[in-house]
Amino acid sequence: MDNKNKEVIDAIEAPIYLKYKFTAGLAPARFLSQLKQGVLTGQRCPKCDNVYVPPRGSCPACGVATEEEVVLGDKATVQSFTIVSIPIPGNPIQPPYIVANLVPDGANISFIHLMSECVNEEVRIGQRVTAIWKPREEWDFAMDNIRYFKPLDEPDVPAELIGHLSVNGTEN
Amino acid sequence: MNIDICIVAFSQSACVAQAGAANEVELIMPQLEAVYGQVGISNAQDVDFVCSGSCDYLQGAAFAFVAGVDALGAVPPIQESHVEMDAAWALYEAVLKIRMGHAESALVYGFSKSSPGELPVVLSQQLDPYYLAPQWIDSISLAALQARLMLDKGIIKASDMAAVVASSRRCAMDNDKAQLAGQFSISDLLEEPEYVSPLRKADCSPISDGASAMIICTRSKAEEWQVPFVRLSGIDHRIETHNLGMRDLTTSHSTRLVAEALSIHNSSLDIAELYAPFSHQQIILEQALELQAETEINPSGGVLAGNLMMASGLSRVGEVFNRIVAGEAERGLAHATSGPCLQHNLLAILESV
Ligand SMILES: [Zn+2]
């Protein structure tokens, strides 16, 4: 066999398409149903009392199911943030913009969301923010029912208290 | 090297066609609670090692196996590992960990939510990525090829396959975790139309959602926990080439090799739980294992009664454990398989103490 003139095959195309009926989980499904009603909820661990948002059904620290649902406030505290300066393909938001880890009042764990109506250079850890919801008729089973969070005129939360505020926020 | 490995706890969920909205964590947690309860511990902090078996392709969620760790209580950090395989191989890893003296106890669990995808098609993507996976050859079609070979060579008859199904359905009537059970005659089953010729639907294990969990440990730990335990006196596995054309599909060479390594041939076994996802494969396994006539095969009904992908292998071990603890058997064999047409096979021997 003469292999000299054979074309070298160094790649083949074999695209994979698989279809799934994805289910979020029982606890996330409860969370999403409340979100559709414009309510942010978490779930409390019966062992360590931590409130998780969004809940996944367990306290990963204790390894027990979280059953108790807790209604959270629209207000939150910045736990950390980053300024995004590069455009992300398919993302309608124009850089520079802020992506932040936010702890809603009444929860102990942060989620990631956008910040807007803010001066990027003035965003800081401990800053108080509040949710800006889309119009009610646009609410779906989705986290982007909240369009973004914007700064509040409230004193900053000291670092050691971030993630430890009650649902009443800084009021008590 | 001479460390006795003991099984001290096992639990399996019911096999259900559709676990509803429940996610992997929600499937796992009840089984973990059950095995913790059996030995009187509170969570994964109370064992030295944790190993799980699952496959992210089944539920179609990237890193689903990492999400499974949320069920464990991994604060402070625990020693944890995972195999993208049936949890019977997670058990194997845990056994090695204990034998090496790196752990005295281990939690092993497997889980699957197979219902979100088209399982036979999903499994086509475990085939060799250049020649077979791009053809999307599903697991049922490959098993049908294998059954066709056996029928044409006269190794089995269609009624032999139906007899396996009838036995599974009958045994499963005593198994409250089973998905399919009932009294069926061989002629009832043969009247059903062929599904993927020559297989009928009943020749194929159903698609099931669920999870199972087990705790193993050294003998001294089992005595410390003061719970009934069973000795895992042997465990080994062999794999065959991924090239199906190079294998004799009518026999299971790898199963025979493991059986020789563990001196199983002609040894006394009260029960054998075999992971045969298709009826004809149970016959292949019986022949490769040369089981004696008095060995009761698949008293649980086996996986034709309910097949938790990535947990069924571990559950075969668990079923033997349960029966020895209940005093229904003294010595039993558990088998697990992985890959198309019984490509990879594991055997475990369990003995009463
Ligand atoms: Zn907790």
Side-chain angles (χ1 to χ4, degrees), chain A residues 26-98:
Chain A
L26 294 165
R30 277 165 66 192
F31 168 79
L32 292 169
S33 302
Q34 291 278 33
L35 205 54
K36 182 137 167 57
Q37 304 304 315
V39 183
L40 204 53
T41 57
Q43 286 184 14
R44 191 189 306 280
C45 171
K47 232 170 157 178
C48 69
D49 271 353
N50 270 336
V51 172
Y52 289 90
V53 56
R56 279 193 28 87
S58 79
C59 170
C62 302
V64 297
T66 54
E67 294 292 337
E68 185 196 344
E69 190 169 280
V70 180
V71 175
L72 306 172
D74 272 4
K75 293 183 181 180
T77 308
V78 177
Q79 190 180 46
S80 71
F81 66 96
T82 188
I83 302 177
V84 180
S85 303
I86 47 167
I88 310 287
N91 190 333
I93 305 166
Q94 287 310 305
Y97 61 92
I98 303 256

Coordinates of all heavy atoms in Angstrom, one line a residue, chain A residues 26-98:
Chain A
L26 N -37.4 19.7 43.1 CA -38.6 20.1 43.9 C -38.4 21.5 44.6 O -39.3 22.4 44.5 CB -39.0 19.1 44.9 CG -39.4 17.7 44.4 CD1 -39.3 16.6 45.5 CD2 -40.8 17.8 43.8
A27 N -37.3 21.7 45.2 CA -37.1 22.9 45.9 C -36.9 24.1 45.0 O -37.5 25.2 45.1 CB -35.9 22.8 46.9
P28 N -36.1 24.0 43.9 CA -36.0 25.1 42.9 C -37.3 25.4 42.3 O -37.6 26.5 41.9 CB -34.9 24.5 41.9 CG -34.1 23.6 42.7 CD -35.1 22.9 43.6
A29 N -38.1 24.3 42.1 CA -39.4 24.6 41.4 C -40.3 25.4 42.3 O -41.0 26.3 41.8 CB -40.1 23.2 41.1
R30 N -40.3 25.2 43.6 CA -41.0 26.1 44.6 C -40.5 27.5 44.5 O -41.3 28.5 44.5 CB -40.9 25.5 46.0 CG -41.8 24.4 46.3 CD -41.4 23.7 47.6 NE -41.5 24.5 48.8 CZ -41.0 24.1 50.0 NH1 -40.4 23.0 50.1 NH2 -41.1 24.9 51.0
F31 N -39.2 27.6 44.4 CA -38.6 29.0 44.4 C -39.0 29.7 43.1 O -39.4 30.8 43.1 CB -37.0 28.8 44.4 CG -36.3 30.0 44.0 CD1 -36.1 31.0 45.0 CD2 -35.7 30.2 42.8 CE1 -35.3 32.2 44.7 CE2 -35.0 31.3 42.5 CZ -34.8 32.3 43.4
L32 N -39.0 29.0 42.0 CA -39.3 29.6 40.7 C -40.8 30.0 40.6 O -41.2 31.0 40.0 CB -38.9 28.7 39.5 CG -37.4 28.5 39.3 CD1 -37.2 27.3 38.4 CD2 -36.8 29.7 38.8
S33 N -41.6 29.1 41.3 CA -43.1 29.4 41.3 C -43.4 30.7 42.0 O -44.2 31.5 41.7 CB -43.9 28.3 41.9 OG -43.6 27.1 41.2
Q34 N -42.6 30.9 43.1 CA -42.8 32.1 43.9 C -42.2 33.3 43.2 O -42.8 34.4 43.2 CB -42.0 32.0 45.3 CG -42.7 31.0 46.2 CD -43.8 31.6 47.0 OE1 -44.6 32.5 46.5 NE2 -44.0 31.2 48.2
L35 N -41.1 33.1 42.4 CA -40.5 34.2 41.7 C -41.5 34.7 40.6 O -41.6 35.9 40.3 CB -39.3 33.6 41.0 CG -38.1 34.6 40.6 CD1 -37.7 35.5 41.8 CD2 -36.9 33.9 40.1
K36 N -42.3 33.8 40.1 CA -43.3 34.1 39.0 C -44.3 35.1 39.6 O -44.9 35.9 38.9 CB -43.9 32.9 38.4 CG -44.9 33.2 37.3 CD -44.8 32.2 36.2 CE -45.9 32.2 35.2 NZ -46.2 33.4 34.6
Q37 N -44.5 34.9 41.0 CA -45.5 35.8 41.7 C -44.8 37.1 42.2 O -45.4 37.9 42.9 CB -46.1 35.1 42.9 CG -46.8 33.8 42.5 CD -47.9 33.9 41.4 OE1 -48.7 34.8 41.5 NE2 -47.8 33.0 40.4
G38 N -43.5 37.3 41.8 CA -42.8 38.5 42.3 C -42.3 38.4 43.7 O -42.0 39.4 44.3
V39 N -42.1 37.2 44.2 CA -41.7 37.0 45.6 C -40.3 36.2 45.6 O -40.2 35.1 45.0 CB -42.7 36.2 46.5 CG1 -42.2 36.2 47.9 CG2 -44.0 36.9 46.4
L40 N -39.4 36.8 46.3 CA -38.1 36.1 46.4 C -38.1 35.3 47.7 O -38.4 35.8 48.8 CB -37.0 37.2 46.5 CG -35.6 36.9 46.1 CD1 -35.5 36.3 44.7 CD2 -34.7 38.2 46.2
T41 N -37.8 34.0 47.5 CA -37.9 33.1 48.7 C -36.6 32.3 48.9 O -35.9 32.1 47.9 CB -39.0 32.1 48.7 OG1 -38.9 31.3 47.5 CG2 -40.4 32.7 48.7
G42 N -36.3 31.9 50.1 CA -35.2 31.0 50.4 C -35.7 29.8 51.2 O -36.9 29.7 51.4
Q43 N -34.8 28.9 51.5 CA -35.2 27.8 52.4 C -34.2 27.7 53.5 O -33.0 27.8 53.3 CB -35.3 26.5 51.6 CG -36.6 26.5 50.7 CD -36.7 25.2 50.0 OE1 -36.1 24.2 50.3 NE2 -37.6 25.2 49.0
R44 N -34.7 27.4 54.7 CA -33.9 27.4 55.9 C -33.5 25.9 56.3 O -34.3 25.0 56.2 CB -34.7 27.9 57.1 CG -33.8 28.2 58.4 CD -34.6 28.6 59.6 NE -35.5 29.7 59.4 CZ -35.2 31.0 59.4 NH1 -33.9 31.3 59.6 NH2 -36.1 31.9 59.2
C45 N -32.2 25.8 56.7 CA -31.7 24.5 57.1 C -32.2 24.3 58.6 O -32.0 25.1 59.4 CB -30.1 24.5 57.1 SG -29.4 23.1 57.9
P46 N -32.8 23.1 58.8 CA -33.3 22.9 60.2 C -32.1 22.7 61.2 O -32.4 22.7 62.4 CB -34.1 21.5 60.0 CG -33.5 20.9 58.8 CD -33.0 22.0 57.9
K47 N -30.9 22.5 60.7 CA -29.8 22.2 61.6 C -29.0 23.4 62.0 O -28.7 23.7 63.1 CB -28.9 21.2 61.0 CG -28.6 19.9 61.8 CD -27.9 18.9 61.0 CE -27.1 18.0 61.9 NZ -26.4 16.9 61.1
C48 N -28.6 24.2 60.9 CA -27.7 25.3 61.2 C -28.4 26.7 61.0 O -27.8 27.7 61.2 CB -26.4 25.3 60.3 SG -26.8 25.5 58.5
D49 N -29.7 26.6 60.6 CA -30.5 27.9 60.4 C -30.1 28.7 59.2 O -30.8 29.8 59.0 CB -30.5 28.7 61.7 CG -31.5 28.3 62.7 OD1 -32.4 27.5 62.3 OD2 -31.6 28.8 63.8
N50 N -29.1 28.4 58.5 CA -28.8 29.2 57.3 C -29.9 29.1 56.3 O -30.6 28.1 56.1 CB -27.5 28.6 56.6 CG -26.2 29.2 57.1 OD1 -26.3 30.3 57.7 ND2 -25.1 28.5 57.0
V51 N -30.2 30.3 55.7 CA -31.2 30.4 54.7 C -30.6 30.5 53.3 O -29.7 31.3 53.0 CB -32.1 31.6 54.9 CG1 -33.1 31.8 53.7 CG2 -32.9 31.4 56.2
Y52 N -30.9 29.5 52.4 CA -30.3 29.4 51.1 C -31.2 30.0 50.0 O -32.4 29.8 50.0 CB -30.1 27.9 50.7 CG -28.9 27.4 51.6 CD1 -29.2 26.7 52.8 CD2 -27.6 27.5 51.1 CE1 -28.2 26.2 53.6 CE2 -26.6 27.0 51.9 CZ -26.9 26.3 53.1 OH -25.8 25.8 53.9
V53 N -30.6 30.8 49.1 CA -31.3 31.3 48.0 C -30.4 31.3 46.7 O -29.3 31.8 46.8 CB -31.9 32.7 48.3 CG1 -30.8 33.7 48.7 CG2 -32.6 33.3 47.1
P54 N -30.7 30.8 45.6 CA -31.9 30.0 45.4 C -31.7 28.6 46.1 O -30.6 28.1 46.1 CB -32.0 29.8 43.9 CG -30.6 30.0 43.4 CD -30.0 30.9 44.4
P55 N -32.8 28.0 46.7 CA -32.7 26.8 47.4 C -32.5 25.6 46.4 O -33.1 25.6 45.3 CB -34.0 26.6 48.2 CG -34.9 27.4 47.4 CD -34.2 28.5 46.7
R56 N -31.7 24.6 46.7 CA -31.6 23.4 45.8 C -32.1 22.2 46.5 O -32.1 21.1 45.9 CB -30.1 23.2 45.5 CG -29.7 24.1 44.3 CD -28.3 23.7 43.7 NE -28.0 22.3 43.9 CZ -28.3 21.4 43.0 NH1 -29.0 21.7 41.9 NH2 -28.0 20.2 43.2
G57 N -32.6 22.3 47.7 CA -33.3 21.2 48.4 C -32.5 20.7 49.6 O -33.0 19.9 50.3
S58 N -31.2 21.1 49.7 CA -30.4 20.6 50.8 C -29.6 21.7 51.3 O -29.3 22.7 50.6 CB -29.5 19.5 50.4 OG -28.4 20.0 49.7
C59 N -29.1 21.6 52.6 CA -28.1 22.4 53.1 C -26.8 21.7 52.8 O -26.5 20.6 53.4 CB -28.2 22.6 54.6 SG -26.8 23.5 55.4
P60 N -26.0 22.2 51.9 CA -24.8 21.5 51.5 C -23.8 21.3 52.7 O -23.0 20.4 52.7 CB -24.1 22.3 50.4 CG -25.0 23.5 50.2 CD -26.1 23.5 51.2
A61 N -23.9 22.3 53.7 CA -22.9 22.2 54.8 C -23.3 21.1 55.8 O -22.5 20.4 56.3 CB -22.9 23.5 55.5
C62 N -24.6 20.9 56.0 CA -25.1 19.9 56.9 C -25.6 18.6 56.2 O -25.6 17.5 56.9 CB -26.3 20.4 57.7 SG -25.9 21.9 58.6
G63 N -25.9 18.6 55.0 CA -26.3 17.5 54.3 C -27.7 17.0 54.7 O -28.0 15.9 54.8
V64 N -28.6 18.0 55.0 CA -30.0 17.7 55.3 C -30.9 18.5 54.4 O -30.5 19.5 53.9 CB -30.3 18.0 56.8 CG1 -29.5 17.2 57.7 CG2 -30.1 19.5 57.1
A65 N -32.2 18.0 54.3 CA -33.1 18.7 53.4 C -33.6 20.0 54.1 O -33.7 20.1 55.3 CB -34.3 17.7 53.2
T66 N -33.8 21.0 53.2 CA -34.3 22.3 53.7 C -35.8 22.3 53.3 O -36.1 22.3 52.2 CB -33.6 23.4 53.0 OG1 -33.7 23.3 51.6 CG2 -32.1 23.5 53.5
E67 N -36.7 22.3 54.4 CA -38.1 22.3 54.1 C -38.7 23.7 54.3 O -39.6 24.0 53.5 CB -38.8 21.3 55.1 CG -38.3 19.8 54.9 CD -38.8 19.2 53.6 OE1 -39.8 19.8 53.1 OE2 -38.2 18.3 53.1
E68 N -38.3 24.4 55.3 CA -39.0 25.6 55.7 C -38.7 26.7 54.6 O -37.6 27.1 54.4 CB -38.6 26.1 57.0 CG -39.3 27.3 57.5 CD -38.6 28.0 58.7 OE1 -37.7 27.4 59.3 OE2 -38.9 29.2 59.0
E69 N -39.8 27.3 54.0 CA -39.7 28.3 53.1 C -39.7 29.7 53.8 O -40.4 29.9 54.7 CB -40.8 28.3 52.1 CG -40.6 29.2 50.9 CD -41.7 28.8 49.8 OE1 -41.5 27.9 49.1 OE2 -42.7 29.6 49.7
V70 N -38.8 30.6 53.4 CA -38.6 31.9 54.0 C -38.8 33.0 53.0 O -38.1 32.9 51.9 CB -37.2 32.0 54.7 CG1 -37.1 33.3 55.4 CG2 -37.0 30.9 55.6
V71 N -39.7 33.9 53.2 CA -39.8 35.0 52.3 C -38.8 36.0 52.5 O -38.5 36.4 53.7 CB -41.2 35.7 52.4 CG1 -41.3 36.9 51.5 CG2 -42.3 34.7 52.0
L72 N -38.1 36.5 51.5 CA -36.9 37.4 51.6 C -37.3 38.8 51.2 O -38.3 38.9 50.4 CB -35.7 36.9 50.8 CG -35.3 35.5 51.1 CD1 -34.2 35.0 50.1 CD2 -34.8 35.3 52.5
G73 N -36.5 39.8 51.6 CA -36.8 41.1 51.1 C -36.3 41.4 49.7 O -35.6 40.6 49.2
D74 N -36.7 42.6 49.2 CA -36.2 43.0 47.9 C -34.8 43.6 48.1 O -34.1 43.9 47.1 CB -37.1 44.0 47.2 CG -38.2 43.3 46.4 OD1 -38.2 42.1 46.4 OD2 -39.0 44.0 45.8
K75 N -34.5 44.0 49.3 CA -33.2 44.7 49.6 C -32.1 43.6 49.8 O -32.3 42.5 50.3 CB -33.3 45.5 50.8 CG -34.3 46.7 50.6 CD -34.2 47.6 51.9 CE -35.2 48.8 51.8 NZ -35.1 49.6 53.1
A76 N -30.9 44.0 49.4 CA -29.8 43.1 49.5 C -28.5 43.9 49.8 O -28.5 45.2 49.7 CB -29.6 42.3 48.2
T77 N -27.4 43.2 50.1 CA -26.1 43.8 50.4 C -25.1 43.2 49.4 O -25.1 42.0 49.1 CB -25.7 43.5 51.8 OG1 -26.8 43.9 52.7 CG2 -24.5 44.2 52.2
V78 N -24.2 44.1 48.9 CA -23.1 43.6 48.0 C -22.1 42.9 48.8 O -21.5 43.4 49.8 CB -22.5 44.8 47.3 CG1 -21.3 44.4 46.4 CG2 -23.5 45.6 46.5
Q79 N -21.9 41.6 48.5 CA -20.8 40.8 49.1 C -19.5 40.9 48.4 O -18.5 40.9 49.0 CB -21.3 39.4 49.3 CG -20.4 38.5 50.2 CD -21.0 37.1 50.3 OE1 -21.3 36.5 49.3 NE2 -21.0 36.6 51.5
S80 N -19.6 40.9 47.0 CA -18.5 41.1 46.2 C -19.0 41.5 44.8 O -20.2 41.4 44.5 CB -17.6 39.9 46.1 OG -18.2 38.9 45.3
F81 N -18.1 42.0 44.0 CA -18.6 42.5 42.6 C -17.4 42.5 41.7 O -16.2 42.4 42.1 CB -19.2 43.9 42.7 CG -18.2 45.0 43.1 CD1 -17.6 45.7 42.1 CD2 -17.8 45.2 44.4 CE1 -16.6 46.7 42.4 CE2 -16.9 46.1 44.8 CZ -16.3 46.9 43.8
T82 N -17.7 42.6 40.4 CA -16.7 42.8 39.4 C -17.2 43.7 38.3 O -18.5 43.8 38.1 CB -16.2 41.5 38.8 OG1 -15.1 41.7 38.0 CG2 -17.3 40.8 38.0
I83 N -16.4 44.5 37.7 CA -16.8 45.3 36.6 C -16.4 44.6 35.3 O -15.3 44.3 35.0 CB -16.1 46.7 36.6 CG1 -16.4 47.4 38.0 CG2 -16.5 47.6 35.5 CD1 -15.7 48.7 38.2
V84 N -17.4 44.3 34.5 CA -17.2 43.6 33.2 C -17.0 44.6 32.1 O -17.8 45.5 31.9 CB -18.5 42.7 32.9 CG1 -18.2 42.0 31.6 CG2 -18.7 41.7 34.0
S85 N -15.8 44.6 31.5 CA -15.5 45.6 30.5 C -15.5 45.0 29.1 O -15.2 45.7 28.1 CB -14.1 46.1 30.8 OG -14.1 46.7 32.1
I86 N -15.6 43.7 28.9 CA -15.6 43.1 27.6 C -17.1 42.7 27.2 O -17.8 42.2 28.0 CB -14.7 41.9 27.5 CG1 -14.9 40.9 28.6 CG2 -13.2 42.3 27.4 CD1 -14.3 39.6 28.5
P87 N -17.4 42.9 25.9 CA -18.8 42.5 25.5 C -18.9 41.0 25.5 O -17.9 40.4 25.0 CB -18.9 43.2 24.1 CG -17.6 43.4 23.7 CD -16.7 43.6 24.8
I88 N -20.0 40.4 25.9 CA -20.2 39.0 25.9 C -21.1 38.7 24.7 O -22.2 39.3 24.6 CB -20.8 38.5 27.2 CG1 -20.1 39.0 28.4 CG2 -21.0 37.0 27.2 CD1 -18.8 38.4 28.7
P89 N -20.7 37.9 23.7 CA -21.6 37.6 22.6 C -23.0 37.2 23.0 O -23.2 36.4 23.9 CB -20.9 36.4 21.9 CG -19.4 36.5 22.4 CD -19.5 37.1 23.7
G90 N -24.0 37.8 22.4 CA -25.4 37.5 22.7 C -25.9 38.2 23.9 O -27.1 38.1 24.2
N91 N -25.1 38.9 24.6 CA -25.6 39.6 25.8 C -25.9 41.0 25.4 O -25.1 41.8 25.0 CB -24.5 39.6 26.9 CG -25.0 40.1 28.2 OD1 -26.0 40.9 28.3 ND2 -24.4 39.6 29.3
P92 N -27.2 41.5 25.6 CA -27.6 42.8 25.2 C -27.0 43.9 26.0 O -27.1 45.1 25.6 CB -29.1 42.7 25.3 CG -29.4 41.7 26.3 CD -28.3 40.7 26.2
I93 N -26.5 43.6 27.2 CA -26.1 44.6 28.1 C -24.7 45.1 27.6 O -23.8 44.4 27.4 CB -25.9 44.1 29.6 CG1 -27.3 43.5 30.0 CG2 -25.5 45.2 30.5 CD1 -27.2 42.7 31.3
Q94 N -24.6 46.5 27.5 CA -23.3 47.1 27.0 C -22.4 47.3 28.2 O -22.7 47.8 29.2 CB -23.6 48.4 26.3 CG -24.3 48.3 25.0 CD -23.6 47.3 24.1 OE1 -22.4 47.4 23.8 NE2 -24.3 46.3 23.6
P95 N -21.1 46.8 28.0 CA -20.1 47.1 29.0 C -19.7 48.6 29.1 O -19.9 49.2 28.0 CB -18.9 46.2 28.6 CG -19.1 45.9 27.1 CD -20.6 46.1 26.9
P96 N -19.1 49.1 30.1 CA -18.9 48.3 31.4 C -20.1 48.2 32.2 O -20.8 49.1 32.4 CB -17.8 49.1 32.0 CG -18.0 50.5 31.6 CD -18.6 50.4 30.2
Y97 N -20.3 47.0 32.8 CA -21.4 46.9 33.8 C -20.9 46.0 35.0 O -19.9 45.4 34.9 CB -22.6 46.2 33.1 CG -22.4 44.9 32.5 CD1 -22.6 43.7 33.2 CD2 -21.9 44.7 31.2 CE1 -22.4 42.5 32.7 CE2 -21.7 43.5 30.6 CZ -22.0 42.3 31.4 OH -21.8 41.1 30.9
I98 N -21.8 46.0 36.0 CA -21.4 45.3 37.2 C -22.1 44.0 37.4 O -23.4 43.9 37.3 CB -21.8 46.2 38.4 CG1 -21.1 47.6 38.3 CG2 -21.5 45.5 39.8 CD1 -19.9 47.8 39.1

